[in-house]
Amino acid sequence: MSDTVIDPVADDDGGDPVAGDALVDLLNGFIVELREAGLPVSLTEHLDAMEAVRFIPLDDRSAFKYALAATLVKNHAHWRAFETVFEVYFSLRGAEYAIDPDAELAELPEDVESGDARDGAGQAPANAGSGEALTPEELAQMLYQALLQGDDAMMRAMARQAVRRYAGMEPGRPVGGTYYLYRTMRNLDLDGMLEQMMQQSREDAPEPLTPLEERLEHDEYENRINQFKQEVEAEIRRRLVADRGVEAMAKTLRKPLPEDIDFMHASRKEMISLRKALQPLTRRLAVRLARKRRHGRKGPLDFRNTVRHSLSYGGVPAEPKFRYPRPAKPEIFVIADISGSVAAFARFTLHLVHAIASQFSRVRSFVFIDGIDEVTRFFEGTEDIVEAVHRVNTEADVVWVDGHSDYGHAFEVFWQKWGTEVGPKTTVIILGDARNNYHASQSWVIKEIRHRARHVYWLNPEPRAYWDTGDSIVGEYGVHCDGTFECRNLRQLEGFVDHLV
Amino acid sequence: MTSDALPEHDPRFDSVDAVRDRLRSVDYLSDEGIAGIVYLADRLGKPILVEGPAGTGKTQLAKSVAEITGARLIRLQCYEGLDESKALYEWNYKKQLLRIQASRNEADSASWDDIEDDIFSDEFLLTRPLLEAIRAEDPVVLLIDEVDRVEVETEALLLEILSDYQVSIPELGTITARQIPLVFLTSNNTRELSEALKRRCLYLHVDYPDMEREKEIVLTKVPGVSETLADEIARIVRSIRQLELKKSPSVSETIDWARTLVLLGVDHVDTETAVATTNILLKYQSDIAKATKELTAEPAGVKRPGAPGAPAR
Ligand SMILES: Nc1ncnc2c1ncn2[C@@H]1O[C@H](COP(=O)(O)OP(=O)(O)O)[C@@H](O)[C@H]1O
Ligand SMILES: [Mg+2]
């Protein structure tokens, strides 16, 4: 059948045609999943990947992964998303990855089967697999030894054992991987093991460990423990995929791209990747904005100027002159709620706005919870925006009564102290979810500000569907603004800033 | 696809492992990702875009690949303001003028057409790195270094070369490569490169090496360093990189540090030595202060609550 199919993998030289056809389908499916995860894969790149796998076989799992990544992922920030899709999609392909209880036995290193664990087998005949025969104490002991010696193979074997024993995975049960991870970890007391290993190091050392040595030992053990955790996660993932199928799992485990991570619900890990993504984003934005300004719109023909110039060409209008509209750079006031759940959003926005401060004549920043403070001083005279944002969080004087957001009071104080400084060149950007803890809104302040200012915009990190529910009163303020924007992630934030300039 | 019209070449490497071994033989310690992509680039005849922090061996990779393949390295160092005349080719105006003047004296025998043909010929062409790589008869590796430093608009200069290995010169026509050179582009990621450029390349992100590889790099690059010292150095650098710093130590800084320690006759890095020499690893005063504090702090925050040997529940 294959002679009518145009198959870029199995063409003339070298490719095994049978493997080729299957591989094309496999790869097509994989790329569908990548696109579902938001990764931009072009047609050229798809074709390149097909070329690439002619030379790097699937059985060499990690080389295969690098080959696909090299052709399909051109942005390092997207690596994590790629890797997750890869792990899920290919988790059960390849002999060594099959989930087969017998295969697993064969995989356990020698000493597991031949060691003391044998004795336990008699006590638990109901469980056929010999791995089950380990008592919890034995399993803990073997894991401890594996970690202490940094024995990779043993750590992997222990990860599988731990998942089988503790995760309590049942076919068809609709719970997520984190639940199984939690159940597995709860039974292992890795913190205790870390401390125990440290104790061991202290005892083995001829002299008391110096703080530096303590730290190095600690980092080493922590590294091994993290590696073990990853093995546990991988094992859970494989079992989930075996149970529910690739497509379903790819959906649940999909990692958002950094630009799509929700500010309000980012995990610690996600925060780190968000912070990393912020820098290239600000650079990109700055370049784009500067260019916009430079090659800005050409205005209408400046007739007089053209004629004046034509005199030097003997009256020929050789050089048409245009009017360049040069709008004055706006002055920006950012007024940001920095309480609890919206703090991260405020941090990112302040960072972004100050990183492109040269696009504006001036940027002034105010932060509030129930009190309000100007924090412009932290950003001026320093290159280090991260540090400045950090100072905003730790040094700004923003608590008035109880440290629960009170937009009304904060706005009132703003108006008294700085209201007259808002002028026709000022663009005011207010950041927050407008959850006002049922205080008075004082929305008249926004109305007044808008009278004086060039523009007033409101950015809300909550999904639009939640606006004006519960104690959110964004609508009450919104009527006095030139625009209210949903700003849940970097992508939306970037879009807004683009619009701003 | 691009490779149809291009000359076939014999593969330079037999396997991914061969790339790795040969790189090791010239003191470049790669990993699976690096070696795999070099292998693939050769087989597919595609350029590699190498991106990553400064001092992680991007430039050195291109040099080392040139060395193991016995190829001549042609390097285009990018900078802001680089243009066609410095990257591709330029006409030698002075020589052209002289030629025109000379023809005036030749009793008007040569017509203008002849002169024009003449002055826009090879003799008057100044070849710059990109053209040089395309016209080379001998094996070459083309290194386009720090491509993120040119303006986005200038990237367009590279596109024809990277996809078709050819250069169009209006006066001479299209010049096509006689062989597909290995091409490396490096970027320190100070700005995003255009999609068009990225689409034409295989993408390789190099990061700081893991501890084992960094130790190996130290062992191969620093004469007189002992196994235990190299191990300590790699561990300390790993710990320092885990701190949130303005600039993490790069591989070249690790090497510098190791060389200094060897010069000082150090065979074990104790706290004092580490603190006294961190200024070689770290460039910012605030980073040095932070690292010093972290490395010398009593590990109060490090210790976990709970008695040693607490029974696993
Ligand atoms: N993997 C490696 N193997 C051997 N030496 C390395 C490696 N990575 C970095 N180096 C050394 O570090 C130094 C800096 O590398 P370089 O290629 O200039 O960095 P980059 O181009 O990424 O800024 C070089 O002297 C090189 O010898
Ligand atoms: Mg370099």
Side-chain angles (χ1 to χ4, degrees):
Chain A
M1 59 178 279
S2 64
D3 49 3
T4 54
V5 181
I6 296 168
D7 177 355
V9 170
D11 63 2
D12 44 11
D13 48 331
D16 170 3
V18 183
D21 264 349
L23 205 53
V24 171
D25 291 343
L26 193 65
L27 213 52
N28 286 344
F30 179 60
I31 284 166
V32 168
E33 290 299 334
L34 283 181
R35 291 203 177 114
E36 288 284 319
L39 286 154
V41 177
S42 70
L43 184 61
T44 329
E45 287 160 337
H46 187 158
L47 294 171
D48 284 343
M50 288 191 178
E51 281 267 310
V53 298
R54 283 170 56 192
F55 301 106
I56 308 270
L58 174 58
D59 352 314
D60 190 348
R61 173 63 59 106
S62 69
F64 186 73
K65 179 161 110 183
Y66 284 119
L68 289 185
T71 48
L72 298 171
V73 187
K74 310 284 171 81
N75 180 342
H76 186 58
H78 294 167
W79 171 261
R80 219 166 85 85
F82 167 83
E83 201 173 29
T84 308
V85 175
F86 183 93
E87 298 300 341
V88 169
Y89 193 80
F90 292 102
S91 58
L92 297 177
R93 299 181 218 256
E96 61 190 298
Y97 295 89
I99 292 190
D100 167 3
D102 296 331
E104 246 170 277
L105 287 189
E107 209 177 284
L108 274 185
E110 291 284 288
D111 44 344
V112 179
E113 287 178 281
S114 57
D116 300 353
R118 274 283 155 213
D119 304 351
Q123 294 161 12
N127 297 317
S130 80
E132 301 280 3
L134 294 173
T135 65
E137 289 74 25
E138 284 165 341
L139 198 149
Q141 190 51 34
M142 288 172 66
L143 172 58
Y144 175 75
Q145 286 301 330
L147 289 169
L148 191 64
Q149 280 145 29
D151 179 341
D152 294 345
M154 196 65 178
M155 273 158 58
R156 194 168 311 126
M158 287 301 111
R160 294 189 172 186
Q161 287 302 316
V163 170
R164 290 183 66 181
R165 177 177 292 266
Y166 298 126
M169 295 178 84
E170 289 162 28
R173 223 171 129 197
V175 293
T178 37
Y179 171 76
Y180 294 124
L181 181 65
Y182 167 75
R183 290 195 33 157
T184 309
M185 291 306 172
R186 192 182 58 181
N187 282 285
L188 291 174
D189 188 28
L190 292 172
D191 286 349
M193 286 194 194
L194 177 61
E195 186 45 45
Q196 214 175 322
M197 288 189 282
M198 288 304 294
Q199 200 54 44
Q200 189 69 46
S201 291
R202 289 182 201 119
E203 282 164 21
D204 292 348
E207 286 169 50
L209 295 181
T210 64
L212 176 61
E213 287 164 336
E214 285 263 346
R215 180 168 194 114
L216 295 181
E217 287 296 292
H218 181 271
D219 285 354
E220 171 66 29
Y221 292 137
E222 196 161 60
N223 223 47
R224 291 179 197 170
I225 286 175
N226 280 337
Q227 192 188 329
F228 172 73
K229 274 188 192 153
Q230 280 168 14
E231 295 289 356
V232 169
E233 282 177 28
E235 177 65 11
I236 291 173
R237 195 167 49 219
R238 283 173 348 100
R239 289 176 172 273
L240 285 173
V241 174
D243 180 31
R244 297 179 201 170
V246 166
E247 280 72 20
M249 281 322 292
K251 204 177 251 161
T252 32
L253 291 179
R254 201 170 286 154
K255 298 270 193 309
L257 303 182
E259 54 265 40
D260 293 323
I261 293 172
D262 204 317
F263 292 130
M264 295 185 72
H265 304 290
S267 66
R268 245 191 74 224
K269 254 194 189 156
E270 287 177 330
M271 275 296 170
I272 293 172
S273 60
L274 259 176
R275 276 213 296 275
K276 280 192 183 149
L278 191 60
Q279 220 192 357
L281 185 148
T282 52
R283 269 195 310 246
R284 202 163 64 222
L285 203 54
V287 168
R288 199 161 67 222
L289 298 184
R291 193 169 321 135
K292 236 188 195 172
R293 215 159 243 298
R294 242 183 300 145
H295 320 273
R297 316 124 275 216
K298 234 180 209 179
L301 186 74
D302 184 339
F303 189 72
R304 266 195 189 183
N305 199 2
T306 306
V307 171
R308 200 173 328 119
H309 253 80
S310 73
L311 297 180
S312 52
Y313 297 97
V316 182
E319 211 182 318
K321 293 286 170 185
F322 297 91
R323 278 181 227 281
Y324 285 88
R326 286 212 189 276
K329 287 182 175 181
E331 175 187 45
I332 302 280
F333 276 38
V334 182
I335 306 176
D337 178 0
I338 56 165
S339 65
S341 58
V342 297
F345 165 61
R347 269 203 309 274
F348 283 113
T349 309
L350 282 172
H351 188 136
L352 189 61
V353 171
H354 281 277
I356 56 168
S358 62
Q359 300 306 312
F360 311 110
S361 70
R362 182 154 190 228
V363 179
R364 292 180 66 180
S365 301
F366 305 84
V367 296
F368 67 90
I369 294 181
D370 53 351
I372 185 164
D373 189 12
E374 174 160 12
V375 292
T376 311
R377 62 185 183 280
F378 296 150
F379 292 93
E380 288 178 340
T382 174
E383 294 281 280
D384 192 346
I385 300 179
V386 177
E387 175 66 22
V389 172
H390 179 71
R391 289 183 64 195
V392 168
N393 279 298
T394 51
E395 296 176 33
D397 183 14
V398 287
V399 175
W400 174 52
V401 181
D402 57 358
H404 292 298
S405 288
D406 182 345
Y407 284 69
H409 180 256
F411 289 158
E412 250 189 312
V413 176
F414 175 84
W415 186 245
Q416 283 162 19
K417 285 197 177 172
W418 298 289
T420 54
E421 293 168 40
V422 175
K425 285 182 186 162
T426 314
T427 296
V428 178
I429 304 169
I430 303 168
L431 314 176
D433 56 5
R435 295 207 169 268
N436 201 30
N437 295 300
Y438 304 102
H439 294 297
S441 77
Q442 314 290 13
S443 57
W444 60 268
V445 175
I446 308 302
K447 191 172 168 191
E448 290 298 326
I449 291 178
R450 191 180 175 201
H451 275 309
R452 305 184 64 101
R454 175 150 130 193
H455 295 296
V456 179
Y457 299 113
W458 191 293
L459 309 188
N460 190 335
E462 282 195 329
R464 212 171 260 277
Y466 298 169
W467 294 12
D468 298 311
T469 63
D471 60 340
S472 160
I473 51 168
V474 66
E476 229 175 287
Y477 295 122
V479 292
H480 302 301
C481 298
D482 296 286
T484 48
F485 297 84
E486 179 189 276
C487 227
R488 297 163 60 187
N489 51 42
L490 284 180
R491 198 190 289 279
Q492 288 178 327
L493 185 57
E494 184 181 4
F496 169 77
V497 175
D498 238 347
H499 159 98
L500 184 64
V501 178
Chain B
M1 286 180 294
T2 58
S3 49
D4 298 346
L6 288 164
E8 287 293 319
H9 71 274
D10 290 333
R12 298 169 176 90
F13 307 104
D14 294 334
S15 65
V16 177
D17 285 341
V19 177
R20 227 174 146 168
D21 292 343
R22 284 167 68 186
L23 280 172
R24 186 191 303 273
S25 74
V26 295
D27 290 350
Y28 191 89
L29 281 301
S30 62
D31 61 14
E32 211 176 0
I34 297 174
I37 290 166
V38 169
Y39 172 79
L40 203 55
D42 174 40
R43 295 291 165 137
L44 299 184
K46 283 192 140 270
I48 305 178
L49 168 62
V50 196
E51 206 168 52
T56 46
K58 300 183 296 294
T59 303
Q60 187 60 47
L61 174 63
K63 291 182 182 170
S64 300
V65 167
E67 190 176 348
I68 58 176
T69 53
R72 177 159 59 98
L73 182 78
I74 296 178
R75 177 175 181 169
L76 173 64
Q77 174 62 53
C78 297
Y79 51 88
E80 209 178 321
L82 176 78
D83 61 11
E84 201 173 35
S85 67
K86 291 289 171 286
L88 260 176
Y89 69 90
E90 191 172 19
W91 290 107
N92 190 339
Y93 297 114
K94 246 194 218 154
K95 213 169 157 191
Q96 284 178 330
L97 275 176
L98 286 174
R99 170 72 184 85
I100 293 170
Q101 244 153 24
S103 71
R104 287 224 178 113
N105 305 333
E106 280 169 22
D108 267 8
S109 58
S111 74
W112 172 246
D113 280 352
D114 292 338
I115 299 175
E116 192 173 4
D117 276 352
D118 192 26
I119 61 174
F120 287 115
S121 68
D122 232 56
E123 202 192 329
F124 297 89
L125 192 66
L126 294 174
T127 310
R128 304 296 186 210
L130 296 181
L131 182 58
E132 188 184 346
I134 292 299
R135 301 177 103 193
E137 311 250 353
D138 55 334
V140 296
V141 165
L142 173 61
L143 166 61
I144 304 174
D145 214 7
E146 305 188 1
V147 68
D148 51 329
R149 290 169 67 173
V150 302
E151 291 80 5
V152 185
E153 292 79 2
T154 317
E155 277 180 21
L157 272 181
L158 304 173
L159 298 181
E160 190 185 14
I161 292 196
L162 296 182
S163 50
D164 302 329
Y165 298 97
Q166 65 180 34
V167 176
S168 307
I169 299 180
E171 299 86 351
L172 289 183
T174 301
I175 301 177
T176 306
R178 299 176 192 173
Q179 32 134 3
I180 302 179
L182 275 175
V183 181
F184 290 84
L185 298 91
T186 76
S187 162
N188 289 335
N189 210 359
T190 60
R191 71 169 172 83
E192 201 92 5
L193 302 173
S194 72
E195 294 300 318
L197 184 79
K198 286 181 166 185
R199 262 202 305 275
R200 285 166 170 78
C201 300
L202 299 178
Y203 180 82
L204 170 63
H205 183 86
V206 291
D207 222 319
Y208 304 115
D210 63 22
M211 200 198 70
E212 285 303 322
R213 187 154 70 96
E214 190 147 36
K215 176 179 162 187
E216 263 191 279
I217 294 175
V218 169
L219 280 170
T220 36
K221 286 278 183 174
V222 182
V225 74
S226 71
E227 170 99 25
T228 45
L229 183 60
D231 189 65
E232 272 181 347
I233 288 170
R235 279 160 176 266
I236 294 176
V237 170
R238 173 175 69 180
S239 287
I240 290 181
R241 284 205 192 111
Q242 278 171 10
L243 307 175
E244 212 171 298
L245 299 172
K246 273 189 204 165
K247 190 186 167 304
S248 284
S250 67
V251 180
S252 40
E253 281 150 353
T254 307
I255 294 174
D256 289 344
W257 191 44
R259 290 203 171 122
T260 310
L261 294 174
V262 170
L263 274 178
L264 293 174
V266 171
D267 49 24
H268 158 68
V269 190
D270 56 19
T271 314
E272 293 75 54
T273 316
V275 169
T277 53
T278 37
N279 60 332
I280 298 170
L281 277 179
L282 299 168
K283 295 292 167 250
Y284 290 95
Q285 209 51 50
S286 59
D287 285 351
I288 294 174
K290 191 177 215 169
T292 305
K293 193 170 133 222
E294 290 285 338
L295 294 183
T296 55
E298 285 297 326
V302 167
K303 248 181 236 164
R304 299 293 152 121
R313 288 192 305 121

